[in-house]
Amino acid sequence: MSQARIGIPRHYYMGLDVERRAIMETAIETLKQEGAVIIDPVDIVVEQQNWNNDVICYEFKRDLNHYLAQLPDTAQVHSLRELIEYNEANAEIALKYGQDTLLRAEASVLTEQEYMEKRQQYNHLPSTEGIDYVLERYELDALLLPGDVDGMYIAARLGHPLITVPAGYSEQGVVDGDGDSTKGPFGIVFSGKAFSEPTLIKLAYAYEQATMYRYPPQLSEK
């Protein structure tokens, strides 16, 4: 990890609760101790864009319907709508974790033309003012992002690599804006340019070996 240049996009740290922010600060200090050069902060111009899930919902609905429609007649569902109805009819076994993604996708009303326009819009700014732009501007090897935050979507939208490493545990947690508890394990995420997996794996492995935060869950025997 020595001399690796890692950027800290602080915008994505602002929404963290006290415990998870402390985990991130500890991770940054560990990276410094391991010889990384920390550039803090770095600005991702596109991070302020108002992202939403309409494009991915359109793609999910289209592609899942295409797949289900090709299943043999013996299959119980042949469309996303039928899948939702099946889950509702078998809620005790099928809805343990809900089906919010399925419902959002089914509710998608984008036309193909609207979808193409939005996809081009969403891809343009991340490619011109997103990760590649920031990495080149600050001469970085990678960005350091908190796990489970919107910052990862910039990379995901472009197909750029991400790798997550355990970084600590939130003992108390809070209830976030989606109604979910933040209590539990929390990780850091390294992201970089397309095809930069070798660099990211080296960084993640070096951090993992320096901290060894992961520990196996304790499962009770029945």
Side-chain angles (χ1 to χ4, degrees), residues 159-180:
H160 283 19
L162 298 160
I163 186 168
T164 304
V165 192
Y169 195 94
S170 179
E171 297 290 346
Q172 301 298 322
V174 298
V175 177
D176 63 20
D178 296 324
D180 300 320

Side-chain angles (χ1 to χ4, degrees), residues 91-104:
E92 185 174 347
I93 60 173
L95 292 182
K96 181 178 180 180
Y97 300 105
Q99 55 178 344
D100 291 349
T101 299
L102 301 185
L103 294 172
R104 283 197 300 269

Side-chain angles (χ1 to χ4, degrees), residues 5 45 80 91:
R5 293 174 60 85
V45 178
L80 175 56

Side-chain angles (χ1 to χ4, degrees), residues 1 4 34 58 72 106 130 148 153-154 157 160 164 186 191 199 211 213 218 221:
M1 187 181 298
E34 293 300 307
Y58 175 94
E106 178 62 21
D148 193 27
Y153 297 146
I154 292 180
R157 287 176 187 277
H160 283 19
T164 304
F186 189 65
S191 181
T199 297
T211 57
Y213 279 118
Q218 297 179 355
E221 296 183 3

Side-chain angles (χ1 to χ4, degrees), residues 38-50:
I38 302 298
I39 312 302
D40 184 8
V42 298
D43 296 322
I44 303 179
V45 178
V46 75
E47 69 189 1
Q48 304 296 340
Q49 182 165 344
N50 183 26

Side-chain angles (χ1 to χ4, degrees), residues 43-205:
D43 296 322
I44 303 179
V45 178
V46 75
E47 69 189 1
Q48 304 296 340
Q49 182 165 344
N50 183 26
W51 303 109
N52 59 50
N53 294 319
D54 51 3
V55 168
I56 195 171
C57 284
Y58 175 94
E59 293 175 339
F60 184 83
K61 179 179 181 179
R62 177 197 62 194
D63 296 344
L64 188 59
N65 275 330
H66 177 73
Y67 168 76
L68 294 175
Q70 299 182 74
L71 294 180
D73 293 339
T74 53
Q76 298 187 52
V77 298
H78 293 89
S79 69
L80 175 56
R81 168 46 54 189
E82 290 181 0
L83 177 59
I84 292 172
E85 292 173 351
Y86 173 88
N87 290 341
E88 291 173 345
N90 299 274
E92 185 174 347
I93 60 173
L95 292 182
K96 181 178 180 180
Y97 300 105
Q99 55 178 344
D100 291 349
T101 299
L102 301 185
L103 294 172
R104 283 197 300 269
E106 178 62 21
S108 172
V109 293
L110 286 184
T111 66
E112 183 175 0
Q113 179 63 31
E114 290 172 334
Y115 158 70
M116 294 301 295
E117 291 174 354
K118 284 182 174 290
R119 183 175 180 181
Q120 182 178 7
Q121 172 191 349
Y122 288 170
N123 285 347
H124 175 69
L125 283 177
S127 63
T128 58
E129 300 178 2
I131 290 177
D132 288 347
Y133 170 79
V134 173
L135 292 176
E136 292 175 4
R137 176 183 177 186
Y138 295 95
E139 299 180 343
L140 302 175
D141 296 294
L143 296 175
L144 180 69
L145 298 163
D148 193 27
V149 297
D150 290 344
M152 295 186 293
Y153 297 146
I154 292 180
R157 287 176 187 277
L158 295 177
H160 283 19
L162 298 160
I163 186 168
T164 304
V165 192
Y169 195 94
S170 179
E171 297 290 346
Q172 301 298 322
V174 298
V175 177
D176 63 20
D178 296 324
D180 300 320
S181 173
T182 63
K183 180 179 179 179
F186 189 65
I188 60 172
V189 177
F190 293 101
S191 181
K193 292 184 177 182
F195 310 113
S196 65
E197 285 88 345
T199 297
L200 301 185
I201 291 173
K202 289 178 181 178
L203 293 174
Y205 179 76

